[in-house]
Each structure stands twice: as C-alpha cells, then as structure tokens.
Amino acid sequence: MKRRPFFTAFTGLLTGAGLFAFPSWAKIKPNKKIPGGFIHHVFFWFKEPDNKEKNDAFLKSLTSFLDEVDEIMASHVGLPANTPREVVDNSYTVSLIVTFKDKAAHDAYQEHPAHKRFIKESSDIWEKVQIYDVVS
C-alpha cells in the first residue's frame, strides 16, 4: 500500500504528540519533522487584498521582523495555493508559520520589540487574523 504524504505527516504528528497509537507504518520519517516543539501558524486576511503597494509593505515589514527574532527556529511565509476543494480554505491573503524550541521561546517572541513593531506597522492592513498554536 502506498502512503499519502499528508496522511503520513498527519499521523506522525498525532503519534508524536501521544494522542493516538497508529501502526509503525503510519509514522513520519524523523528527517521529515518540522524543527521545534512549538508551531505558531498565523493567517491574515487583508482589507484590500489586491493593493500591491500595501501588500509589499506588509511583506517587507514581516520578513524584516522575522530576521530580528533569535528565538525563531524556522519560518515560512506563503500565499493560498488555490487548491479548490471543499475542505480547503483559500480565503486568507497571507500565511505565516513560525517554529520555536518551546513555549518559552514563543512567549519571548510575543514580547520582542520587533514583533510589536511589526504589529504596529501592519495592523491597519489586515481585517482579520486567525492563529493556531501547536505543541508536540
């Protein structure tokens, strides 16, 4: 039986978190694990999603502040993949994934001056923010 990448990653996350016991074939490979024990996933919905000038300013502010926070292990900034399926939400404008060693590192990030500056510089651009924090 050929495993699907999503199923393999999903079941690996669940078993790694101790939530479910799946058979060994369902676990992810250790070298495929996302670094960090705390994942912070942020979705932004912009007031004017087609305003290139504001989008560019947002992305510049975002990437600039990410470079200043030492507690960040890895990050990814992305746009909706436009995968039109019933279970996929493509309504957001920008996605940010940031990983940390642990919750303490995440908490330091929340109080970091660069993070606070980013919020002050960019909060007028978005109309909604949704955050999902995950621990392993």
Side-chain angles (χ1 to χ4, degrees):
M1 171 196 298
K2 185 173 179 173
R3 292 178 284 172
R4 294 181 181 175
F6 170 78
F7 179 75
T8 303
F10 182 70
T11 56
L13 288 172
L14 293 176
T15 57
L19 297 175
F20 296 98
F22 284 98
S24 61
W25 58 262
K27 294 181 181 175
I28 63 172
K29 297 176 184 176
N31 64 344
K32 301 291 183 179
K33 186 175 179 185
I34 296 170
F38 193 105
I39 299 172
H40 181 66
H41 198 169
V42 185
F43 294 91
F44 299 93
W45 284 262
F46 290 0
K47 293 175 185 173
E48 302 175 56
D50 297 326
N51 186 322
K52 182 175 174 12
E53 183 178 317
K54 287 187 177 183
N55 291 357
D56 290 347
F58 174 86
L59 292 173
K60 181 179 178 184
S61 179
L62 177 65
T63 55
S64 171
F65 110 79
L66 292 172
D67 289 339
E68 296 180 46
V69 182
D70 292 336
E71 290 81 6
I72 295 173
M73 294 185 72
S75 66
H76 180 272
V77 177
L79 305 174
N82 196 20
T83 48
R85 296 189 318 269
E86 191 173 312
V87 297
V88 176
D89 179 358
N90 287 300
S91 68
Y92 62 94
T93 312
V94 173
S95 162
L96 167 66
I97 300 173
V98 187
T99 68
F100 304 94
K101 177 182 175 186
D102 51 26
K103 185 179 181 303
H106 165 266
D107 294 348
Y109 154 88
Q110 288 295 333
E111 297 302 319
H112 197 285
H115 183 245
K116 291 185 175 205
R117 183 185 69 239
F118 162 72
I119 292 170
K120 184 177 181 182
E121 288 176 356
S122 301
S123 62
D124 66 322
I125 294 174
W126 65 70
E127 65 181 348
K128 177 183 172 184
V129 175
Q130 181 67 53
I131 299 172
Y132 296 95
D133 288 335
V134 181
V135 296
S136 61

